Amino acid sequence: MDRLTRVPGLLYGGDWNPEQWPEQVWAEDVKLMAEAGVNLVTVGVFSWARLQPDAYSWDFGWLDRLLDLVHRHGVAVDLATATASPPAWLVRAHPELLPVTADGIRLEFGSRQHYCPSSPAYREAAVRLTRALAERYRHHPALALWHIHNEYGDHVQECFCPASAADFRRWLRERHGTVDELNRSWGTAFWSQHYNSFEQIEPPRTAPGPVNPTQLLDWRRFCSDALLALHRAEKAVLDEVSPGVPVTTNFMSMLKALDYWEWSRHEDLVSDDAYPDPADPRAHVNAAMNYDLMRSLKGGRPWLLMEQAPSAVSWRPVNVPKPPDLHRLWSLQALARGADGVLHFQWRASVAGAEKFHSAMLPHRGTAARGWRQTVRLGAELRRLGEIAGSRLRGQAAVLLDWDSWWALELDDHPSGRMRWLDLLRPWYAALHARGITVDFLPPSAEPDGYPLLFAPNLYLLDTATAERLTRYVRGGGRLVCGPFSGIADRHDHIHPGGHPGPLREPLGIVVDEHWPIPDGTTTAVRLDGTKTESTEPDGTEPGGTELRAEHWSEWIETEGAETLARYTSGPLTGLPAVTRHRYGAGSAWYLSCHLGADVGPVLDLPLAEAGLNAELPGLPPGVEATRRHAADGTGYLFLLNHGPEERQVPLRTPGTDPLTGTDLLTGTPTGDTLTLAPLGAAVIRLPAAQERA
Ligand code: GAL
Ligand code: ZN
């Protein structure tokens, strides 16, 4: 059992920046933490200058007193390594550690994250600080979790200085071995880009025209690895000096810059920072998607919502607060998707600095504020939900996510600049979310066999090993649903010869003759046949026969064994197949040759029906989200979340089955046939193991 599991129940708290306050204030802080039910605080994230006032001295006295105080009040600590903002003395002694942009501008001190990921001076200093903290506090009874750095890649994701250039060359040598290999991989026969030696290579700085795409792709890979190397250097120190205490770093949801599949291998616990915009009525759908990723990164293990705003943030052009009940609802949503706790940025609102208008658990107005009442109420509710800690949920289907492919897809000089990973993924996810289908994410290296249905909204870059795995999956009875512009390039970003979708051509049973981007502002009509499927509605209407609109992208495709389910009915491709299904081996492979955006749902209904997948809870009213976690003993926890502005009646009975009788843990009341959810209301229903269907 690690230290964190000694904190009973769900975790509740936030970033606490006590160095911004006189020590007298701390006494009030801990008293109020107890009142709010806070059991975990993140300390020291930006304390470097306080901990190490200059190159020759340390000052741990204040942190000793703080940790003792917190421990006396029964609050555990997520102790940060404090390395996200190097102090002025270090920067002035080593000005070369400041990061440089692609245009050659050196970024100044005065904000945070002002360091070059490949700087030896920064790295040595960060490792030294981490070691000093680990040695001093490894046995402190308040210590429950180590928090490495803060949001890698938040402000600085790449650096073009000479140290970074040298590190890039080292990385390239490791990846390619010889410069001949690199020349082949980068396709440097093009435009006379041949290199005679690694020494001739520089990072992809601003150049006169388009830069070599494989150079850019290797650069993305290198930049994720360069930050990961820093993280691993700190992690190695903590593992060595402070074994048994779990380690995390706070991720930033679905962040393009960092390959979180790779990163999460080095985390003991995945934690995430989430800032959905209260002004966006669909924000909860994206949040659900991000939370599903966080759960999936460690194969379904509980994760931690490390940061969220109690109300408004301070970094959008317009910072809209969360109306009453929204913060509670969104906190419960993280739990509904597998989190074992919700923490915040931050505990006490700052009075100075760039975040003084950011909301906090304890607002400027103090305990008289609405926000404080909300903090206390959420703490009390989380205590009532304590028993769900450790329970898990598993997706009914899976979605493939490959950072390599994401990076390659979004390189320039493609048939259309409108093909962006998140724009392609989000409508698919939203359609599944609206249908009450829970999904897990999978890396390309995973065996998808446990899932009846695998969605791949885009697989622009597809290496042969992954293609073979997918082919085996379909042949063995799986269903693969593949989006447009897939199977195009290999891992060097070279086109798979012989027609797209390259190595998926055989299982998909189609070939792409030509990409046919759709001009901005126009759409192309697609007609989905009235194919009879098992999902025919009770009133006899068929899900097919539907008129859909494609945007941004279409393809001239020809079938090679696949059947056509939808055709283009306007524009230059009129009459040609738009959506196909290929019965292949014991499974089926579906191909969508166009970007259907918000219209993708009726197409996804077909494989869902074929796989026999239905909503977790049928008959859910619109805007109500339902998920179910399971404890090891079989107890179920059904989360019902009303994201809409209207009261909703939720039927707790599936046609022909017994009502789901349980207890709403939030109110302590037994549930009946239906449950009424207020606008932004929620319920968490404990279903005894006996009630749970296998
Ligand atoms: C996060 C960051 C915190 C704080 C917060 C404000 O990105 O980790 O330190 O800046 O945003 O929303
Ligand atoms: Zn650099």
Side-chain angles (χ1 to χ4, degrees), residues 98-100 116-119 159-164:
L98 290 169
V100 174
C116 157
S118 299
S119 156
C159 173
F160 296 82
C161 80
S164 294

Side-chain angles (χ1 to χ4, degrees), residues 128 154-155 272 311 333 336 365 375 399 413 436 482 557 577 687:
R128 202 164 148 234
D154 177 16
H155 304 300
D272 189 39
S311 189
Q333 189 192 20
R365 191 183 164 198
T375 298
V399 178
D413 306 295
C482 189
I557 67 172
L687 299 167

Side-chain angles (χ1 to χ4, degrees), residues 4-13 36-40 302-304 331-332 334-336 338-343 378-391 629 639 665-666 684:
L4 194 58
T5 51
R6 289 200 327 232
V7 183
L10 297 170
L11 300 167
Y12 185 53
V38 164
N39 56 13
L40 185 71
W303 56 283
L304 182 59
S331 298
L332 293 173
L335 303 178
D340 264 2
V342 293
L343 280 72
L378 183 58
E381 292 200 316
L382 293 186
R383 276 200 298 281
R384 264 175 250 147
L385 298 179
E387 66 181 76
I388 73 163
S391 62
R629 291 178 66 152
F639 283 76
L665 295 176
L666 291 171
V684 183

